[in-house]
Amino acid sequence: MDDLNSSNYSLSFSHPEQALTTEVANPLPRAVLRMNNHELLDGQWHFAHDDADVGLAENWAQGHAYEHTAQWPGSVEEHLAHARGHQGVSKWHDQVVVWYEREFNLPEVAEPQSQSMLQLTFGACGYETRVWLNGKPLKTIEGEEIHYGEYTSFTYELSEDNLQAVNRLTVRIADNMDAETPRGKQESHVYKRGGIWYQTYTGAVRSVWLEVVERNRLRSRVGVVSIVEDQLVRFNMTLRIHDAGDYTIRLQIFDPHTTNRTSPLASSDFPLHLEPGQWQQRLVLEVPGAELWSPEAPHRYRLVAQLIDSQGYAAQIETLFGLRKIEARGRYVYLNNEATYLDGILYQPGQATFEEMQRHMHAMKELGCNLVRVHIAGIDPRIYNLADELGLLLWVEVPSPHSSTPRSRENHRAELLRLVTLSETHPSIIIWSLYNEDWGAQDIATNPETRQYIMDTYHFMQIAYPQFLVVDNDGWHHISYTGRLKSDLLTAHLYTPDLTRWKELLDRLVGGEMTGTAAFPLVVGDPFFYRRQVPLIVSEWGGFGFPDYGGPQDAESRTNSILAFKQELRRRPIAGDVYTQATNIEDERNGLIDPQTGELSVPKGLLASRQMQHLA
């Protein structure tokens, strides 16, 4: 096993009076930068398929003869295919259990060990992950012996007592086609691969890395809520404390394009006493003269946050953020108190590489989109950073389970909390969908328990995360309770290749007809009278080029159809639309962007409303 390339591990700095470090790019899949060195453990690992699931009983973590190797990051399906001598991706059903192992040398830590510790982070791995260090089981910072979820990062603090000169890291990953676990559009026992349901792609799917962190520190997660009228920003910080004592949180805000780090635009200290554990703390800072973030002007600032102990030792994190406000009021969506039409496109990255996703994002901007609906998938967080930079609004969704049960709802909520906790830094993310087209909530029209769970989650999001709009169940079957819609947007999925039928559907939709437009009634529960109380979004339409939709086949006809259909949208009091879709993915052949190169198959600016504003 290859040694780590570098052993130069150190913390950001040890005293607050030292000059702030210069800006450094963030190479890791997270929004927040920690000013220390890290070392990727990506590369070749030992690999074994535990067909009979005997590894735990036989204590493989204490030692096992691995017959195969696998490249991390990579999917279980790829690794199984390689181990079995197959070409392409190996299919599996019902259950898979695999083990990975590698060694790493203990880094030389430059800082006093009394102030630091080694931390291990998995960018994403799942669905069920257990980890051992030198044969001893690890618990995440949250205390999990088993981490569930495959879309977000999780972290272990490595005890000095369990570290050696050469260390053995063992990982067990288990997954199955259980319909009660969040799967998005990957196949399950309920939805089989084919059509809109995709090949599973799970396991060791993102990087894993080591870094030295302070014992008492700010974690690499920062929530941002702007009150733009008063130029205030509320920062939600997570603190990890091992040593009780008096601390000061120092927040400083800089223009990211200014190299001078000695004169912040805003700065404040917040003294507090902290006991051991993990704590959340809201801190408010005024940013006089702040420029707001928007698609036209994606202005961002740099937050430098320090946790300073009573001896003056400072632990530091940094992140870019933007001030912006999103609101659904009447028939419009307001961004920074200005009505904004959402020119959206549906995006399903599937197994695209990070580099391909970057090209896709630039291409969607070229199409004239100001909104990307990231469809029911957890993606590399660096894509959120890119959207912040480009000025692309994002509509993100919780990967759904495929059945509606108490356990599936419990898993759904856990997945939502994992995702939103690690993504609330980004000004680009403006909308969250809890469910899509009843997937995982198939009994929404008939089961009060399902509706109650969705309503409770909607209310929770309103209170805990006011910086987002929330959609209860996108496409149809929105919930009404005593005539109040439990969704910030009324959304409809409308598909037809016929322009005359399209006009009829749109007229019925804006007329407030709750049945006969989408595939199912738009609202369930108590009666709801639209009367333009909430913004109306056609959140899926088009699909031209997918034979099952009957769309036009050649590029010119498709371009003309998209233009004609879009013009009809803009002639009506609709707040936004989402064209289906950005790229081809497996059996869905309706993309406008080449999945590999990012080249457009239609003219630039085709989906931009600014070309049609005179028609609105």
Side-chain angles (χ1 to χ4, degrees), residues 277-290:
Q278 181 162 281
W279 308 98
Q280 274 71 45
Q281 181 66 47
R282 172 179 290 176
L283 306 168
V284 181
L285 205 57
E286 185 177 0
V287 190

Side-chain angles (χ1 to χ4, degrees), residues 437-485:
E437 292 186 354
D438 305 350
W439 303 339
Q442 292 90 336
D443 56 357
I444 189 172
T446 58
N447 188 348
E449 291 183 2
T450 298
R451 293 199 296 274
Q452 189 64 54
Y453 164 72
I454 296 174
M455 287 192 294
D456 290 345
T457 305
Y458 169 71
H459 292 149
F460 164 77
M461 291 289 290
Q462 281 188 314
I463 295 170
Y465 302 101
Q467 68 269 46
F468 305 124
L469 301 180
V470 180
V471 176
D472 55 349
N473 177 49
D474 187 46
W476 50 70
H477 282 165
H478 298 282
I479 299 171
S480 174
Y481 180 74
T482 66
R484 296 174 175 86
L485 197 68

Side-chain angles (χ1 to χ4, degrees), residues 164-176:
Q164 303 170 7
V166 178
N167 298 274
R168 181 168 51 88
L169 188 62
T170 309
V171 181
R172 176 187 183 271
I173 301 172
D175 203 349
N176 56 44

